[in-house]
Amino acid sequence: MVWVFSIWMQSVKQVLSGEMLGKPVNVRGWVYRIRSSGSIIFAVVRDSSGIIQVTIKKGVVPEPDFEAAASTGIESSVTVEGTLAEDERAPGGYEVRAISFAVVGPSEPFPITEYQSTELLLDQRHLWIRSREQTAVMKVKDSMLRGARNWFHENDYVEVTPPIITGVSAEDSTTLFQLKYFDRFAYLSQSAQFYLESLIYSCDRVWSLTPSFRAEKSKTPRHLTEFWNLEMEAAWVDNEGNMKVQEELVSAMLRSVVEERSPELRLLGRDPAALEKIAPPFERMSYSEAMDELQEKGCDVLWGSDLGAVEERELTMDKEHPVFIVNYPKELKPFYMKENPEDARTYKNSDLLAPEGYGEIIGGSERETDNALIIERLKDVGESLDKYQWYIDLRKYGSVPHSGFGLGMERVVKWVCGLEHIRDAIPFPRTIARVYP
Ligand code: NSS
């Protein structure tokens, strides 16, 4: 068996295309289902591209191959040689009639069976990620990331690599993970923002994809303690320009996923055509308008209340496109945002909410350039100015209007894949209760 030069082996997807009908094919993968009816064994073999039926007949394959098939269980890794035939009862309409069958890595009884508790699936995550749904989610994410990377490249952004170990809090200091860093303390990054802000002075427009850490105490279906933050920062861009970048980027990511992963979307119960229709411009609604709408709908909110999952759901349940909520009250947002000259109670910022009730996927803003205001706000929240001196410096040497945002990849994947819980948007979720496996 030639393992390295495996060109002569086809993926299940290639085999299911039917091009090889009547011809010899070679499939390798893992047993998805298997049953025997006397002298014929029906196995369904999966690889990352799909599942295909294989029939192994006594007398057609060598006897040891038949015995190997008869005693093998699900998740054993196998190789099959045979001919491709049509069979309308088989998944995908084709089957491989084996002339040889070999077990490469036998499987012990697989601990995951059809109906399992959420906890068991999380304990067995290293095995559960083999499921077809999990595979589809990972492929959707892969295409969305590629769509984003291509869009940034085409639009002249530089991909940069900010640090993960940091001395500052870019968001909420109550959700910092502290770590012992030799003889002092440091934190795991909550956002690359401040480093990206520094990098625009050399690269104009930058972006990065980094893990972000938030010690969120609450258990919710949309919070992880470790998530992937896709962030961008650009010089000479105001809050409106920032929103234009977001709507273009999100639309490009959706185009990429629809183009490359429509079968995966359908497997997850999503309609690619609905996602394909999403295009700029996205609706913009001020925070004040959002409050009015919520009050009209009977929600118990006042101007100044935060928009939580419930309110965001209320605002987007009936929408088919994402919507920007702009100009939040200052009290609800961090110190670095630019004051709104039209209403000094608010900032020039936006949150992008996904439709169908999925809620916030991006947080962004124009950045404050007035150092006096930054210093005043840092003092108000009790931060030590020493730690932020380098950030304050940026406004001293050729300050420039600039904006940026962070897109939570798992939030976007949760929406696009129609997932109930964000933990299914990442292979090994980290939550308040879980660091295993
Ligand atoms: O806190 S954010 O709203 N904004 C920032 O971190 C900015 N400093 C980004 C920037 O301007 N460069 O987080 C950005 C996004 C937010 O909209 C969510 O989609 C996602 O990050 N996010 C999360 N995803 C999963 N779990 C948690 N805990 C989480 N927190 C934020």
Side-chain angles (χ1 to χ4, degrees):
M1 197 68 73
V2 183
W3 294 106
V4 181
F5 297 103
S6 53
I7 312 154
W8 60 284
M9 284 196 162
Q10 294 84 34
S11 71
V12 165
K13 189 174 165 190
Q14 281 171 314
V15 175
L16 285 176
S17 74
E19 280 165 25
M20 323 276 299
L21 192 60
K23 299 204 180 112
V25 289
N26 295 273
V27 171
R28 61 185 162 178
W30 290 263
V31 173
Y32 185 67
R33 279 196 297 266
I34 191 156
R35 72 186 165 85
S36 159
S37 76
S39 61
I40 179 158
I41 295 166
F42 295 94
V44 175
V45 174
R46 68 160 182 88
D47 70 5
S48 114
S49 69
I51 56 172
I52 188 157
Q53 179 165 296
V54 175
T55 49
I56 306 127
K57 268 194 187 155
K58 203 176 177 70
V60 174
V61 297
E63 192 54 23
D65 293 23
F66 187 81
E67 272 158 31
S71 60
T72 203
I74 65 164
E75 287 307 316
S76 302
S77 54
V78 296
T79 58
V80 183
E81 285 178 86
T83 37
L84 186 67
E86 273 176 308
D87 182 341
E88 60 185 25
R89 290 158 304 175
Y94 294 95
E95 68 171 15
V96 178
R97 299 195 173 144
I99 53 163
S100 84
F101 181 94
V103 175
V104 177
S107 176
E108 292 182 20
F110 202 58
I112 302 175
T113 51
E114 207 166 342
Y115 300 102
Q116 298 288 0
S117 71
T118 306
E119 275 309 297
L120 182 133
L121 292 180
L122 285 167
D123 285 341
Q124 301 290 346
R125 192 72 176 184
H126 51 300
L127 303 176
W128 176 235
I129 46 172
R130 300 178 183 194
S131 70
R132 296 188 74 205
E133 292 76 13
Q134 286 285 312
T135 307
V137 171
M138 287 186 273
K139 289 191 171 186
V140 165
K141 197 179 205 177
D142 160 76
S143 287
M144 298 200 82
L145 286 170
R146 190 168 30 263
R149 180 167 266 117
N150 289 343
W151 188 89
F152 279 126
H153 182 62
E154 282 156 19
N155 287 278
D156 225 9
Y157 284 75
V158 179
E159 181 173 2
V160 291
T161 54
I164 300 300
I165 298 175
T166 176
V168 289
S169 164
E171 289 300 316
D172 176 1
S173 59
T174 63
T175 62
L176 280 171
F177 278 110
Q178 195 178 58
L179 66 123
K180 178 112 180 44
Y181 192 72
F182 303 104
D183 56 352
R184 71 203 105 131
F185 288 107
Y187 309 107
L188 292 179
S189 171
Q190 292 179 316
S191 158
Q193 180 188 324
F194 297 165
Y195 299 100
L196 300 191
E197 283 191 59
S198 320
L199 286 159
I200 59 166
Y201 296 87
S202 49
C203 299
D204 295 335
R205 305 165 173 198
V206 294
W207 75 280
S208 64
L209 175 67
T210 57
S212 279
F213 302 88
R214 311 261 168 115
E216 307 273 2
K217 300 267 164 36
S218 52
K219 270 190 183 168
T220 81
R222 59 185 207 154
H223 285 98
L224 293 164
T225 54
E226 180 183 17
F227 67 95
W228 287 83
N229 211 343
L230 186 73
E231 293 176 272
M232 90 89 190
E233 198 69 35
W236 316 109
V237 170
D238 64 6
N239 196 44
E240 180 53 34
N242 198 31
M243 287 190 279
K244 288 211 165 83
V245 175
Q246 292 170 55
E247 59 196 12
E248 291 291 343
L249 174 70
V250 169
S251 304
M253 291 168 80
L254 292 174
R255 280 198 301 278
S256 167
V257 79
V258 169
E259 198 177 302
E260 296 177 5
R261 305 296 186 198
S262 283
E264 283 79 7
L265 289 170
R266 284 192 205 98
L267 185 136
L268 293 163
R270 295 300 261 174
D271 175 14
L275 294 170
E276 202 174 17
K277 278 194 217 134
I278 296 175
F282 298 167
E283 181 185 342
R284 282 124 169 94
M285 180 192 278
S286 73
Y287 167 88
S288 299
E289 286 165 342
M291 279 296 138
D292 292 346
E293 186 176 321
L294 287 169
Q295 283 165 357
E296 272 164 35
K297 287 183 165 165
C299 296
D300 185 18
V301 287
L302 291 172
W303 199 96
S305 324
D306 205 357
L307 295 182
V310 175
E311 292 78 22
E312 289 181 359
R313 191 179 156 75
E314 201 57 55
L315 289 169
T316 60
M317 269 306 281
D318 304 326
K319 309 254 183 224
E320 289 176 353
H321 297 245
V323 48
F324 286 109
I325 309 293
V326 297
N327 305 134
Y328 280 69
K330 286 176 174 168
E331 291 68 35
L332 300 178
K333 295 290 175 187
F335 71 92
Y336 55 70
M337 296 185 175
K338 186 158 186 69
E339 188 173 285
N340 177 11
E342 284 158 27
D343 179 356
R345 297 175 305 164
T346 64
Y347 281 139
K348 287 179 86 178
N349 80 311
S350 64
D351 277 359
L352 183 63
L353 311 188
E356 303 167 69
Y358 283 94
E360 182 191 337
I361 51 173
I362 301 186
S365 67
E366 189 170 330
R367 315 308 191 186
E368 186 55 75
T369 45
D370 182 337
N371 256 344
L373 286 177
I374 288 190
I375 291 168
E376 189 185 307
R377 293 179 199 157
L378 279 170
K379 281 187 185 157
D380 282 351
V381 290
E383 281 288 358
S384 121
L385 293 184
D386 290 350
K387 283 196 296 189
Y388 290 86
Q389 199 49 56
W390 64 273
Y391 185 70
I392 294 165
D393 268 357
L394 301 177
R395 275 80 178 155
K396 291 192 198 158
Y397 306 103
S399 184
V400 66
H402 63 288
S403 300
F405 61 81
L407 172 154
M409 268 314 293
E410 288 72 23
R411 293 266 182 101
V412 175
V413 168
K414 177 176 185 278
W415 158 48
V416 169
C417 294
L419 306 175
E420 268 176 33
H421 202 292
I422 194 166
R423 65 179 164 233
D424 286 324
I426 190 161
F428 294 98
R430 299 292 174 241
T431 57
I432 186 167
R434 188 164 287 277
V435 284
Y436 176 92

